[in-house]
Structure formats: structure tokens, C-alpha cells
Amino acid sequence: MIETKDILETIRMIQDENLDIRTITMGISLLDCIDPDTEQACRKVYDKITRCAQRLVQTGEDIETEYGIPIINKRISVTPMAMVSAACGDPLPFARTMDRAAEACGVNLIGGYSALVQKGFSAGDEALIRSIPEALAQTERVCSSVNVGSTKAGINLDACRLMGAIVKEAAERTADQSCFGAAKLVIFCNAPEDNPFMAGAFHGVGEPDCIINVGVSGPGVVRAAVSKYPDASIDQIADIIKKTAFKITRMGQLVGTAASQRLGVPFGIVDLSLAPTPAVGDSVAHILEEIGLAQCGACGTTAALALLNDAVKKGGVMASSRIGGLSGAFIPVSEDAGMIDAARAGSITIEKLEAMTAVCSVGLDMICIPGDVTPETIAAIIADEAAIGMVNSKTTAVRVIPAIGKQVGEMLDWGGLFGSAPVMPVNRNSPAAFIRRGGQIPAPLQSLKN
């Protein structure tokens, strides 16, 4: 039975500790929209998205009002567009169609301008990837992702090389918008099919025709819980985090179930990732500091993050049988006030962030690098991160923003949830000869599980 103290605790979490539902994301399959006629295919895409998602925003607002739970973003993800546009040749009209449909539905972002090339390129994949910089420059709401590796397939080094150039061009084409195009592009290894978080969300081919996925957030709640026990042992801290994650996930389960019933579509998963914001007190870095680090990036950061990530997952799986997506702790530099402070102070570096990604969700996220960094260096950063994901059978990703015209220490600022970030130094020793070899990095031995 729910007791008064539990209700009051949840109210306090929402009012004082930045607890919210970060996103409800409707996944929509567009496989039945494939048509060799571009105009017909785009019409089908627009009609299906707007038909399925026409009540998404209103439903989210109704749930917010009824339960008093903030739902920050309402979003849409679609089938990787490389599959849908392959029969037509030019994928750019599909990016514009996605943007128009998202605007008509009132959502802030739409994901799925994506390609899956972990084992090689089809003609449609390559055409879409080469169009990404222009697509992101022409549209406001479209997000893009490319999967370049997996534990089963290995790493497509040719794709890493191409994506290095694409990231650089996406930043250059949007230099007048603080290089925001690159902030809407993420490169994955082991990309999940049910991720509700942008910019990496797409609707996997194994998913239902239409589905609702929920992404919860609660770094501020976890930080507040840990701060009450300054003398607790580390195993006690793990238990405190587990109990807190349980409460956060139950709220996500409630919202997902309600949205599913009202929209008449299946409820997919709760992604229980701790997604930070630039708001004071809503930081994963600050959780690590409450655990005992003087500043995020100090020796012990990776161990503390491993504890946090594991405890969040253990608490979440007890609260819901529908855990999926990424689930864990995000460490995006620009979106986390504590990470921003640590990067400015030089306490945290790209190399330390890379080490941290071995034990947390996703990877090198929302990191600004100097604008004169070469495409080959970006490609090598992508390959390094993909290698961590491939060998450890986990999702990793790269979302770096080359700050065109800026150097180390200068700032890029996007405002809102995207926040701001200092330009961080990058190792200037060239990996070009390695990247230009191309080919496929073979899958590790642990891929042979059949």
C-alpha cells in the first residue's frame, strides 16, 4: 500500500531534486512506406508519422497534469531511414519530411536518420551517410545516428573513417549555429533498437509497428540520497543508490503504462539512465563527488562510476520487467554542470572520459574539440570508443563537436538541455596511417557464443 510519506517523498524529489521523465518517445516503423517513387514514399512517411503521433504531445501533457510528474520531452523515433530511402536514391527529401512531420506533431526532436553499417555499406547506407551534414543543416528537429561496430560483427574501419569526415563537415555546415549539426549526430557500437534518448534513437526492425518507450532521469535525487549518509561504507552507498533507482524507475513504469493505454500502442521499455542537465544539482559528476571524490576526474572516478552504474541497473530491474535502451549513467560533458566544471578545471580529460565509458552507459558524449582537429583523428576517437563497446559487449558511442574557429579553453553554448562546454584538448599525434588502412577490425573471440 502506498503511504503518505512515499507520496510526500516523490513530491519533494520533483520539486527540489530535479526528478522528471526526461522523454516519452514513440517508435514508428516505416517499413510499409517504402516506395521507389520518392514523392509517394515521402507522402507515406509523413502520413504515418502524423497519424501515429498526432496525440503524443497532448497525452504527455495530460499525464503531467494528472500525476504532477514533469515530462520534459516528447519525441519520435523511426525505422533507420537508410532502409526506407534506399529504393529512391536521394535521402534528403526524407530528412525534410521527417522534420515537417515532427513539427506537425509538436515534438522537439525526431530520430532515425540513421544507417547500420557495422559489417559493410549498402548503396542506401552510403548515400544517407554522405547526406548527413546537409540534412542536419537543413532541418531543425532531425537527429542522426550510424552504427559502425558490434560485438558480433567487429568494427567497420571504413565507416569510422567516413564518419570522421562527416562529423567535421556537419560542424562546418552549422558553424553559425555553434556547430550544432554535430551535436545531433551520434556514432554507435552495439546500438540498441529501443533507445528513447536522442540523438541516437531509432526504431529497430525487430520492434512492433508502433511503441512507447520512456526515458527517466534522476541524478539530483541520487545525489541528494547519497549526501544524507556521509559516513556510510561503500557497500551501504550501493544499497542507497539501488533503493533510489527503484523509486525513480517505478515512476517511469507508471508514465509508460499510462501513455500506452491512452495512445492505444504497446508499452516498450523504461530506460533508467541517469541523464543529467546543466541545472544546479542535476549532475552525475556531483553524485561521484558526494561518494567521496574532490572533483570528477580524480583518481577513483572510474571505480565510483562503475559502482553507480551497477547500482542503478540493479535497482531498476527490481522495479520493472521492461528495462531496456541504454540504462545506466550518462556522462555528457555539456549537459552536466559538474562535468563542465571539471573540464574547465582540467580535472577531466578526453582520455579519462574514455576510461569511464568502459563502465557506464554510452560513451564520449557532447564533448567539444578544437575546430582544426583532422577527420582522421575524429575517426580514431570513434574507433577507440567502438573497440571498448565491441570487446565488452556493451553499447558505446561518440558525439563530439568540432568547434570551428575555436581552440582549447573557449566555450560553445547551445542553451537548454544541450548546455555549454569548453573546448577540450585532443592528442595531436596523427592516427592517419592507421585509419587509412580501412577494412574490418575482426569481431572478438567472445562473439562466438552460438
Side-chain angles (χ1 to χ4, degrees), residues 185-202:
L185 171 60
V186 59
I187 301 98
F188 277 115
C189 177
N190 290 321
E193 294 191 338
D194 54 3
N195 167 28
F197 284 106
M198 299 297 171
F202 64 86

Side-chain angles (χ1 to χ4, degrees), residues 19-334:
L19 178 61
D20 59 49
I21 298 297
R22 186 54 47 84
T23 180
I24 54 172
T25 301
M26 176 175 280
I28 302 171
S29 172
L30 299 181
L31 293 175
D32 54 349
C33 300
I34 294 173
D35 194 298
D37 184 293
T38 300
E39 186 176 337
Q40 286 276 54
C42 286
R43 179 185 58 77
K44 291 178 183 179
V45 166
Y46 181 86
D47 288 348
K48 184 162 188 185
I49 293 173
T50 53
R51 182 178 71 253
C52 291
Q54 61 182 335
R55 295 190 297 115
L56 177 63
V57 171
Q58 185 60 56
T59 299
E61 291 172 351
D62 290 346
I63 293 171
E64 284 184 89
T65 301
E66 184 172 336
Y67 293 103
I69 299 171
I71 301 174
I72 306 303
N73 299 297
K74 295 84 176 175
R75 296 167 170 171
I76 297 168
S77 64
V78 298
T79 304
M81 195 52 70
M83 300 179 184
V84 181
S85 65
C88 300
D90 182 8
L92 278 171
F94 292 87
R96 294 189 286 267
T97 300
M98 289 170 65
D99 204 46
R100 287 192 302 110
E103 182 180 13
C105 294
V107 299
N108 66 319
L109 293 173
I110 182 168
Y113 199 73
S114 306
L116 310 178
V117 295
Q118 59 268 23
K119 210 167 183 178
F121 300 93
S122 70
D125 292 328
E126 187 167 354
L128 183 132
I129 290 172
R130 293 190 182 279
S131 76
I132 286 173
E134 187 174 354
L136 297 181
Q138 288 184 8
T139 59
E140 181 181 350
R141 296 168 178 82
V142 172
C143 291
S144 181
S145 59
V146 177
N147 193 69
V148 300
S150 71
T151 300
K152 277 289 187 183
I155 300 171
N156 183 344
L157 199 60
D158 293 317
C160 293
R161 179 181 180 182
L162 178 55
M163 290 312 301
I166 294 298
V167 169
K168 185 74 177 282
E169 186 182 347
E172 290 171 342
R173 283 180 176 262
T174 54
D176 60 341
Q177 304 168 47
S178 297
C179 308
F180 189 57
K184 297 191 293 177
L185 171 60
V186 59
I187 301 98
F188 277 115
C189 177
N190 290 321
E193 294 191 338
D194 54 3
N195 167 28
F197 284 106
M198 299 297 171
F202 64 86
H203 187 71
V205 294
E207 297 286 294
D209 192 61
C210 187
I211 200 165
I212 283 288
N213 296 319
V214 173
V216 299
S217 179
V221 177
V222 175
R223 183 202 58 78
V226 172
S227 69
K228 295 171 185 174
Y229 301 90
D231 300 320
S233 66
I234 202 67
D235 51 322
Q236 290 172 328
I237 290 295
D239 285 338
I240 291 163
I241 295 170
K242 282 190 289 186
K243 291 173 183 176
T244 307
F246 177 90
K247 296 170 185 175
I248 295 169
T249 307
R250 290 301 291 172
M251 192 177 77
Q253 175 84 17
L254 170 66
V255 169
T257 301
S260 169
Q261 292 172 348
R262 296 178 190 204
L263 290 166
V265 300
F267 174 30
I269 58 94
V270 178
D271 187 317
L272 53 92
S273 298
L274 295 182
T277 72
V280 175
D282 200 29
S283 162
V284 169
H286 289 161
I287 299 174
L288 303 180
E289 290 162 10
E290 287 289 352
I291 292 174
L293 303 172
Q295 188 167 39
C296 184
C299 297
T301 296
T302 305
L305 183 59
L307 177 144
L308 172 63
N309 206 57
D310 180 67
V312 165
K313 293 186 182 211
K314 286 175 177 174
V317 297
M318 289 296 291
S320 173
S321 60
R322 294 178 174 271
I323 300 300
L326 300 164
S327 290
F330 287 1
I331 51 171
V333 172
S334 78

Side-chain angles (χ1 to χ4, degrees), residues 385-396:
E385 195 61 31
I388 292 173
M390 175 186 72
V391 171
N392 291 289
S393 301
K394 71 185 292 293
T395 301
T396 52

